[in-house]
Amino acid sequence: MAEIKNHKIPVYAVLVTVLFKLLFLLTHYIQEDAFITWRVAQNLLDYGVIGFNGNEKISASTTHLYVFVSYFFNLIFGKENFIEPLLIFNSVLFTIGSLFLSNLLLKNVWHKAIFIFLIGILPPAIKISILGMEYGILFFLEMMLLYYGFNKGKKWALIILPPLILFTRIDTVIFLGVVFIIDLFWNRKMRRPYILGGILGMGGVLAFNWLYFGELVNNTIVAKKLAYDRNFTLEQDLEYFMQNFGNFWGMLKLPGDFNPLTVVLLVFEWLCFIYLVRQKEKRNFFLWVIFIFGWVKQLVFLSQKSLFDWYYWVPQILLFVPVLLFVLEQKQKRNLWLALLIMFYSIPMLAFQTVHSIATGNGEWNYRRTIGLFLNSYEKDKNQWIFLEPAGYVPYFSGLKTIDEVGLVDKKVQDEIRKDKKNFWLNTVKSRKPKYLLSYNDLFTSENAGYFKLHYKLIKEFRVKDHLKSDNKLLEKIYILKPSGSDYNLYERID
């Protein structure tokens, strides 16, 4: 009986970790792109079409599976009440994923419990759980594949899970590919069910995209590649790498080009990994998988100049795993090692993420959301168009039809970028004549001020500084310490 109770300790750790992280719901820190997915889900609910603006089909969300999950949460809880249940669901799935990972790498139940909690309070783990993105589901599915497919040898997992993973994000072909290659070298044979699962997954995603949207890859990938494409020399590439790598491997975004904490962490992660794999244990297969995947994923995305930090959340977590294993399995002075890790890393990281979540939540929920709410009450005709960037909070809460500057939710922008990238913004305004423009700039002092003065009027200015006050003095200090958001000007067409 005592042994059965001990085996439940990691499960209790899952519950404690989820409950602890739910405190972050109070910060209202939700990623902008989550609202794009949720609007797509609600468009499916309202129009029966996977799109963003009425009956027009478009893969405006990066993730198909999460769109359907969000659709069912909207259906069950209603549009007004689905967000919190969905965020809790994401947090639970991520933490169960960390339970699978602990079972792959650790034997001692107390070590598993500590591992689950310390992984769960890392900044990227908090963001995966609470920010509304698809990575909670993704982490759960990926760790489930490793646990049931490659640890337990379950054929159903090898066949079913790859398609689900690929329907969550098509770029997970990197994860599946790394697992396949390492498994091939490790076991000197191919797992036919896994190959079948991969074929079904890639074939299914590509077929779905082609038959439903008329494209092979998601529109979001095409749009970002087109909008953010820059031709760099080798020297510029190296400079770009040095400017940005520190903010993605280190879990901590700091101003400036050089982040010394990242270098220290990278070196320590490598030392811990080398120390662990030299022990020649069965779990080494999984250590190689997560570590190689972490590096490959980050190098691929950084080489493509992908600066959205959510691409790096899962790799950041997996690369940190060897550090936790090293500390937990010290035979001498383990408690000292653990205390040092918690005191000098876990607590500072948690404190940083808390401040970041409070400040960014204020900038997103209390500020950017108000722009959408203002438009929702100001404009009753929801068939009117707004041209803006980004396409998250404001379109979601205003309910207006939307043109975004990247072309994520409206493909016609991509046509303008291809024709004349330098002047696509003005050309889009002239050809589409949206009723509203939301701009970071003062259009009446711009190069084309004459056109905008003739056709638009300024109806409201939105300023970050107006949202840095709070009755709670501690919150106000955090808002002022780390103001979040951008100033906007809202224009309405007058002809």
Side-chain angles (χ1 to χ4, degrees):
M1 184 63 70
E3 186 177 346
I4 293 173
K5 287 183 178 179
N6 284 341
H7 281 302
K8 290 184 178 180
I9 288 171
V11 177
Y12 298 147
V14 168
L15 296 175
V16 170
T17 305
V18 170
L19 290 173
F20 180 83
K21 287 200 291 188
L22 291 184
L23 292 171
F24 281 85
L25 289 177
L26 299 174
T27 67
H28 294 294
Y29 178 24
I30 301 175
Q31 182 66 41
E32 182 91 26
D33 283 46
F35 285 100
I36 297 179
T37 298
W38 295 343
R39 167 134 167 185
V40 172
Q42 292 179 356
N43 199 83
L44 178 60
L45 191 67
D46 294 337
Y47 296 93
V49 170
I50 301 173
F52 198 87
N53 295 309
N55 291 317
E56 182 182 0
K57 295 178 181 179
I58 186 171
S59 52
S61 172
T62 312
T63 169
H64 295 322
L65 181 63
Y66 191 45
V67 164
F68 290 116
V69 170
S70 301
Y71 166 85
F72 283 112
F73 270 78
N74 272 274
L75 197 63
I76 295 167
F77 295 98
K79 293 180 182 179
E80 303 297 325
N81 304 304
F82 82 96
I83 293 179
E84 285 79 9
L86 183 54
L87 297 183
I88 294 170
F89 177 72
N90 288 343
S91 186
V92 169
L93 285 189
F94 170 82
T95 314
I96 293 174
S98 69
L99 172 62
F100 289 146
L101 185 57
S102 73
N103 287 334
L104 292 172
L105 302 173
L106 292 161
K107 296 177 182 177
N108 184 291
V109 291
W110 285 105
H111 290 176
K112 291 179 182 180
I114 297 170
F115 175 90
I116 290 165
F117 184 76
L118 292 182
I119 280 287
I121 63 171
L122 290 174
I126 292 170
K127 288 184 278 193
I128 285 174
S129 301
I130 301 301
L131 266 64
M133 300 285 278
E134 65 270 18
Y135 289 93
I137 292 176
L138 184 60
F139 188 80
F140 168 77
L141 292 172
E142 289 177 339
M143 295 307 106
M144 190 179 185
L145 173 65
L146 293 180
Y147 182 71
Y148 284 108
F150 290 88
N151 182 53
K152 297 292 187 181
K154 303 293 185 182
K155 290 183 180 180
W156 63 263
L158 296 172
I159 296 172
I160 294 174
L161 293 176
L164 292 176
I165 289 169
L166 284 162
F167 267 91
T168 305
R169 288 189 66 91
I170 198 169
D171 56 49
T172 53
V173 68
I174 298 172
F175 173 79
L176 297 174
V178 167
V179 173
F180 174 78
I181 293 170
I182 294 177
D183 182 55
L184 184 61
F185 277 96
W186 197 269
N187 296 304
R188 308 295 181 185
K189 63 178 182 179
M190 294 186 182
R191 297 180 192 251
R192 292 180 181 176
Y194 187 55
I195 295 173
L196 176 60
I199 293 172
L200 290 174
M202 281 304 298
V205 171
L206 296 178
F208 178 75
N209 282 343
W210 181 255
L211 294 174
Y212 193 83
F213 299 110
E215 59 197 15
L216 284 176
V217 297
N218 300 44
N219 174 68
T220 51
I221 297 173
V222 175
K224 288 176 182 178
K225 182 68 176 175
L226 182 65
Y228 302 133
D229 187 40
R230 282 170 278 184
N231 295 317
F232 281 6
T233 64
L234 178 60
E235 183 180 354
Q236 288 174 318
D237 274 325
L238 291 174
E239 182 183 355
Y240 186 88
F241 176 82
M242 292 305 296
Q243 287 177 348
N244 292 290
F245 90 99
N247 284 336
F248 297 113
W249 271 291
M251 299 189 194
L252 182 65
K253 282 193 171 185
L254 295 176
D257 296 347
F258 181 72
N259 184 344
L261 293 176
T262 296
V263 177
V264 172
L265 180 62
L266 278 177
V267 172
F268 196 52
E269 285 174 349
W270 266 105
L271 292 174
C272 292
F273 174 73
I274 293 169
Y275 170 83
L276 291 169
V277 295
R278 283 167 61 90
Q279 296 175 2
K280 300 186 185 303
E281 294 188 15
K282 180 183 176 182
R283 71 176 180 186
N284 282 7
F285 169 77
F286 300 105
L287 282 172
W288 278 105
V289 165
I290 64 175
F291 208 73
I292 295 298
F293 164 68
W295 275 93
V296 170
K297 172 71 182 285
Q298 301 211 76
L299 287 172
V300 167
F301 274 76
L302 202 54
S303 71
Q304 298 303 306
K305 303 174 184 63
S306 301
L307 295 187
F308 301 107
D309 64 342
W310 49 86
Y311 295 143
Y312 305 88
W313 290 342
V314 172
Q316 284 172 352
I317 292 168
L318 295 180
L319 290 176
F320 192 72
V321 165
V323 176
L324 283 180
L325 296 184
F326 172 79
V327 171
L328 288 170
E329 295 186 344
Q330 288 301 302
K331 291 182 171 58
Q332 295 179 344
K333 298 182 179 179
R334 179 193 299 125
N335 292 339
L336 176 61
W337 276 97
L338 191 57
L340 291 173
L341 176 70
I342 293 172
M343 187 179 302
F344 291 104
Y345 194 82
S346 297
I347 292 177
M349 288 292 102
L350 181 61
F352 168 80
Q353 186 57 47
T354 302
V355 171
H356 178 73
S357 294
I358 291 171
T360 310
N362 177 62
E364 299 290 336
W365 188 264
N366 296 337
Y367 169 54
R368 204 193 303 265
R369 183 177 66 107
T370 60
I371 303 174
L373 293 175
F374 169 81
L375 276 164
N376 186 278
S377 60
Y378 184 85
E379 178 57 71
K380 301 303 181 184
D381 182 3
K382 302 310 175 187
N383 287 314
Q384 296 297 334
W385 291 81
I386 183 170
F387 187 25
L388 49 63
E389 177 62 27
Y393 275 85
V394 176
Y396 183 87
F397 286 101
S398 69
L400 297 177
K401 290 190 174 181
T402 303
I403 310 166
D404 71 297
E405 295 177 17
V406 178
L408 296 179
V409 305
D410 188 290
K411 286 187 178 181
K412 294 176 184 176
V413 172
Q414 297 173 33
D415 297 332
E416 296 292 351
I417 293 175
R418 290 188 184 96
K419 285 189 292 186
D420 185 358
K421 190 169 186 177
K422 182 180 178 181
N423 300 302
F424 85 94
W425 198 90
L426 179 63
N427 292 339
T428 299
V429 173
K430 288 182 175 180
S431 63
R432 303 288 294 278
K433 298 180 175 60
K435 185 172 183 179
Y436 297 98
L437 302 175
L438 186 65
S439 175
Y440 301 116
N441 306 312
D442 181 355
L443 298 181
F444 292 164
T445 61
S446 66
E447 182 182 352
N448 300 286
Y451 173 85
F452 292 110
K453 287 179 180 179
L454 182 63
H455 296 286
Y456 286 89
K457 64 178 180 179
L458 177 68
I459 58 173
K460 193 169 178 63
E461 296 178 340
F462 296 93
R463 298 292 179 262
V464 174
K465 63 180 177 62
D466 297 332
H467 290 264
L468 301 181
K469 297 180 176 63
S470 173
D471 294 334
N472 185 308
K473 293 303 176 185
L474 177 60
L475 291 180
E476 187 170 82
K477 287 180 180 178
I478 291 174
Y479 296 160
I480 295 171
L481 174 69
K482 194 180 182 300
S484 179
S486 303
D487 291 339
Y488 289 101
N489 298 310
L490 179 63
Y491 301 86
E492 182 180 6
R493 194 167 184 91
I494 55 179
D495 60 339

